Amino acid sequence: MGVTCVSQMPVAEGKSVQQTVELLTRKLEILGAEKQGTFCVDCETYHTAASTLGSQGQAGKLMYVMHNSEYPLSCFALFENGPCLIADTNFDVLMVKLKGFFQSAKASKIETRGTRYQYCDFLVKVGTVTMGPSARGISVEVEYGPCVVASDCWSLLLEFLQSFLGSHTPGAPAVFGNRHDSVYGPADTMVQYMELFNKIRKQQQVPVAGIR
Amino acid sequence: MSGVRAVRISIESACEKQVQEVGLDGTETYLQPLSMSQNLARLAQRIDFSQGSGSEEEEAAGAEGDTQDWAGAGSSADQDDEEGLVKFQPSLWPWDSVRNNLRSALTEMCVLYDVLSIVRDKKFMTLDPVSQDALPPKQNPQTLQLISKKKSLAGAAQILLKGAERLTKSVTENQENKLQRDFNSELLRLRQHWKLRKVGDKILGDLSYRSAGSLFPHHGTFEVIKNTDIDLDKKIPEDYCPLDVQIPSDLEGSAYIKVSIQKQAPDIGDLGTVNLFKRPLPKSKPGSPHWQTKLEAAQNVLLCKEIFAQLSREAVQIKSQIPHIVVKNQIISQPFPSLQLSISLCHSSNDKKSQKSATEKQSPEDHLYVLEHNLHLLIREFHKQTLSSIMMPHPASAPFGHKRMRLSGPQAFDKNEINSLQSSEGLLEKIIKQAKHIFLRSRTAATIDSLASRIEDPQIQAHWSNINDVYESSVKVLITSQGYEQICKSIQLQLNIGVEQIRVVHRDGRVITLSHQEQELQDFLLSQFVMDLRVAVRLWFSFPVTSVKIFQKAMFYKIANGVIFVDHSKKFSGIKWKVETLFIKWNCLCLHLALIFSRNFDLEYLQINYKHKEAITSKDVHLAFETFHFI
């Protein structure tokens, strides 16, 4: 588990999501990365049931249950600004039991699927974010394996991102800001994904022409 | 008390005369006391002549007298009466009784005297001892004891015999009834060894390893049935058992896993036609009943089936460079290029038909018992793993699986970490590795042995270590020259034989890795021979020479135990006999090696650089061999 940066690649002008993804992957291959299979990160949203809300009528909290193929036996559950729980895959079954307390939001499943590339110590994942049948955006995840402290390797990561993202290089993720010197963990990656998915959800749908 | 007046005491004798009569006027007439003679008479009357004199015999005599009195009742009564009469009539002459008694005594004595005198003459009367049928009086008490003891013992023996008879009767009765009533006790015995349960009216048992951790899907149930085909009239056979077990039909007979290594690969057509040789059934313990042997054999068959199923599953699933072939009851794989490892399940049923057909026996020599044993151990290891605490979930609600695997979810392990947790090697891979190692080890040993037998000088010694691993063995090889072992210690090699490679560690620290090729090891060892010789030769480079003969082409130096010839030219003619002479007479190790390595005695390969001293005299010449060069 190394330091990971998740960012969004905006769709190129006049091109579809797929074409942009292809562009990126070709760049990576030219760079020398080798394909190592596929990956998938998905997210489901639940909100606390109305019955559990207090008389004050506050809005229910949203809980995200996420899976990452990089950690095949784990399940992540997190609140927006709250703690992130790393659990066994039995957690999904548990959620079914907790139907009374957590209700699944409609049409909330969002996922990103794509290919996984290994370039020496870097692990790059370029994926298409889809919500239902429609592709909404492109996610790029870069992991630098050897380092576990964010502050130490951010500059290296940035440089690498620049090499193939060019101008679309993101700034430092928010999670880095919180703890500079603490060990980076998978939960932080999932938080980044959650933020990415939320951002994409709020975005307007990609124009129809772009989907084709 | 001096003051008291003395009292006068008068004494009167008490012998008063007896009063005969008292007159009317009160006068008493006294009886005259007896005079001396009268007193004597009175006492004489009281003598009892029937009693003997002497105080010791008085009591005995008294007893005898009493017995006599009791025995002769009539006579004693008369005697008493007479004596009583005598006392009552004192006017009778008091000595009368005394006189009568004396007289009778005299008569008796006279008679006795007469008899004795007649007997003494032995003419008219002889004394004869009374015939005694009893034993002499001294031995009587002992024999009596003996007889009495005998009688009493006989009585005790009688009682005991009676009791024993009763017991034997009851035991034989028991025996007869035993066979009929004993199903339950036999069932109890069975239950001590095997798990039984009652289903309806059937008694079923479990002979599988499921409770020991196996995951094989065979049910392994056997049925216990009552043996009722006993004919009470006929004699009950000795090995009769009221209980019989019925094992599943596919577990009948006996089975074992045959693991063998063959050098040449057989034809493809021969695959699957493994000739099974029927292994003699392992002798059951003498006291164990027949159902025990039956059940144990069935359990063994089940275990062998499980082992083979596991191996064949792995053979098919696991990808390897050279794929394994699974045909019928045989798994064939190639650990080394020219080598073939075949693992086969040999299951022979107990039918008479198959016994006849399996007459031709394949030689059991190529069966590796060690590997078969290891297979059994490995599968048991696997069983134990499923039951170990690492696998059993804590808490009980956790899912099954390895402990660390359960943590991999909450701790977000990635694929690399998960792979490292899972045991990567299956049963087949382990067995193949072990087979490779065994083969490599035996071939190394054969190589060393062949070299040792082929080459006499220098000598190669191999010290194999006793403690080995399944995948690694080690041997220490020493190359020494005879007589110079203490000096030439530099060639010591430690060979670590692994699964596919042999690693050689030299004494001076060099580490060389040899592959499994046989030739490589041989060449390497041969090169080490040379090293040894170089060392040896350098040490023994001078020999005192006794005489020198110089010829055109050669120079002969005669030394203490042989002849050394040296020539300038490289090729010799007629070399053979000379060299042979050297071989016999001279035990210089360097020239021995020359003979070994130049088999054709072609000394083209041999170059001898020598120096010798200038002054050639018979005693001062020393030959120095500096180096030997070999190609």
Side-chain angles (χ1 to χ4, degrees), chain B residues 244-257:
Chain B
D244 204 7
V245 287
Q246 197 173 40
I247 50 180
S249 57
D250 55 346
L251 297 181
E252 276 174 17
S254 69
Y256 71 100
I257 304 261

Side-chain angles (χ1 to χ4, degrees), chain B residues 6 10 78 112 138 142 297 347 351 442 480 491 505 574 578 616:
Chain B
S10 52
D78 288 342
L112 184 62
K138 273 186 193 174
Q142 279 180 355
H347 183 185
D351 303 338
S442 56
T480 54
I491 311 292
V505 180
K578 288 171 195 160
I616 299 170

Side-chain angles (χ1 to χ4, degrees), chain B residues 59-219:
Chain B
E59 286 185 10
E64 272 184 23
D66 288 339
T67 52
Q68 279 176 14
D69 283 343
W70 290 111
S75 55
S76 64
D78 288 342
Q79 241 181 347
D80 277 343
D81 285 343
E82 259 181 72
E83 273 177 47
L85 276 166
V86 166
K87 279 176 188 169
F88 264 121
Q89 291 171 6
S91 57
L92 212 76
W93 183 43
W95 297 102
D96 195 36
S97 63
V98 177
R99 191 199 56 183
N100 290 338
N101 282 325
L102 281 171
R103 193 180 280 169
S104 57
L106 177 67
T107 321
E108 297 268 341
M109 288 304 291
C110 291
V111 166
L112 184 62
Y113 171 75
D114 290 338
V115 165
L116 283 174
S117 54
I118 294 168
V119 161
R120 203 175 57 163
D121 282 343
K122 290 190 188 175
K123 249 201 216 174
F124 304 108
M125 230 158 110
T126 50
L127 280 176
D128 238 350
V130 177
S131 65
Q132 297 187 6
D133 52 354
L135 289 163
K138 273 186 193 174
Q139 295 175 18
N140 259 338
Q142 279 180 355
T143 48
L144 200 65
Q145 273 176 17
L146 200 67
I147 295 168
S148 61
K149 269 189 193 167
K150 216 170 156 184
K151 274 196 189 155
S152 49
L153 281 172
Q158 268 297 313
I159 297 168
L160 286 171
L161 276 171
K162 260 193 234 167
E165 220 181 271
R166 236 185 287 163
L167 274 175
T168 48
K169 236 192 272 176
S170 71
V171 164
T172 46
E173 264 176 28
N174 232 11
Q175 283 277 354
E176 283 161 13
N177 297 340
K178 199 179 163 184
L179 296 165
Q180 282 175 318
R181 292 188 281 120
D182 225 26
F183 175 73
N184 289 324
S185 56
E186 200 68 23
L187 191 65
L188 191 68
R189 275 178 79 191
L190 183 63
R191 224 169 147 238
Q192 283 172 348
H193 295 279
W194 301 91
K195 284 207 309 273
L196 301 174
R197 63 182 196 276
K198 197 159 168 116
V199 175
D201 58 347
K202 279 200 250 178
I203 301 173
L204 297 176
D206 181 22
L207 53 75
S208 73
Y209 278 92
R210 221 169 305 143
S211 57
S214 162
L215 299 171
F216 198 53
H218 197 280
H219 56 88

Side-chain angles (χ1 to χ4, degrees), chain B residues 31-47:
Chain B
L31 259 184
Q32 291 296 318
L34 293 170
S35 65
M36 290 284 282
S37 57
Q38 281 177 337
N39 214 10
L40 183 64
R42 185 172 70 91
L43 287 169
Q45 268 183 359
R46 289 169 85 184
I47 295 170

Side-chain angles (χ1 to χ4, degrees), chain B residues 290-550:
Chain B
H290 79 285
W291 42 257
Q292 180 75 2
T293 44
K294 237 176 157 184
L295 290 170
E296 279 178 4
Q299 200 175 45
N300 187 41
V301 171
L302 187 59
L303 188 70
C304 290
K305 281 195 171 196
E306 185 179 348
I307 292 172
F308 195 75
Q310 174 86 358
L311 287 171
S312 36
R313 188 177 39 233
E314 282 173 19
V316 170
Q317 281 175 354
I318 292 172
K319 293 178 198 165
S320 71
Q321 283 174 339
I322 303 166
H324 315 287
I325 305 168
V326 181
V327 177
K328 278 199 213 172
N329 67 333
Q330 203 179 19
I331 299 171
I332 299 168
S333 75
Q334 284 201 319
F336 289 128
S338 63
L339 202 70
Q340 183 184 274
L341 172 74
S342 92
I343 304 171
S344 39
L345 170 68
C346 302
H347 183 185
S348 55
S349 56
N350 279 334
D351 303 338
K352 287 187 181 170
K353 254 196 234 171
S354 65
Q355 274 184 7
K356 281 179 194 165
S357 66
T359 45
E360 51 163 316
K361 291 185 181 181
Q362 207 183 27
S363 67
E365 287 164 5
D366 56 348
H367 171 55
L368 291 165
Y369 290 94
V370 177
L371 289 181
E372 186 197 352
H373 180 66
N374 282 355
L375 271 173
H376 280 259
L377 286 179
L378 285 171
I379 202 84
R380 283 297 300 139
E381 199 60 47
F382 174 70
H383 288 172
K384 281 183 200 163
Q385 255 196 342
T386 53
L387 286 181
S388 69
S389 65
I390 302 171
M391 298 302 257
M392 286 290 129
H394 285 94
S397 56
F400 271 90
H402 197 274
K403 191 159 72 173
R404 291 205 73 205
M405 282 295 277
R406 279 181 248 134
L407 288 175
S408 62
Q411 297 196 353
F413 283 5
D414 59 6
K415 283 178 199 163
N416 296 333
E417 288 170 8
I418 293 169
N419 283 337
S420 68
L421 280 181
Q422 281 167 342
S423 55
S424 49
E425 275 186 353
L427 204 60
L428 187 65
E429 284 180 6
K430 284 187 186 166
I431 277 300
I432 289 175
K433 272 173 87 173
Q434 287 182 18
K436 275 186 184 175
H437 174 69
I438 284 175
F439 178 72
L440 204 58
R441 188 175 63 193
S442 56
R443 200 162 63 176
T444 309
T447 310
I448 293 174
D449 288 341
S450 71
L451 273 178
S453 55
R454 237 175 53 198
I455 300 171
E456 284 167 9
D457 185 31
Q459 287 91 35
I460 183 168
Q461 301 169 35
H463 298 287
W464 289 86
S465 77
N466 285 330
I467 302 168
N468 294 325
D469 189 40
V470 267
Y471 301 134
E472 197 168 320
S473 310
S474 83
V475 58
K476 188 148 186 161
V477 174
L478 298 163
I479 299 174
T480 54
S481 318
Q482 196 185 35
Y484 309 121
E485 287 94 353
Q486 291 302 312
I487 301 162
C488 307
K489 269 194 198 169
S490 61
I491 311 292
Q492 286 176 11
L493 309 165
Q494 171 99 10
L495 296 171
N496 286 336
I497 304 164
V499 176
E500 282 175 3
Q501 293 172 335
I502 301 171
R503 208 178 61 156
V504 183
V505 180
H506 211 277
R507 194 173 182 229
D508 51 13
R510 281 179 289 149
V511 177
I512 300 158
T513 313
L514 304 169
S515 78
H516 64 270
Q517 302 283 348
E518 189 180 357
Q519 198 56 38
E520 226 177 292
L521 177 67
Q522 204 172 25
D523 293 340
F524 177 74
L525 285 174
L526 283 174
S527 72
Q528 293 304 308
F529 277 114
V530 175
M531 294 297 182
D532 177 61
L533 293 167
R534 276 211 190 131
V535 171
V537 166
R538 252 184 231 124
L539 292 167
W540 293 97
F541 53 77
S542 81
F543 301 93
V545 172
T546 50
S547 68
V548 181
K549 279 184 191 170
I550 301 171

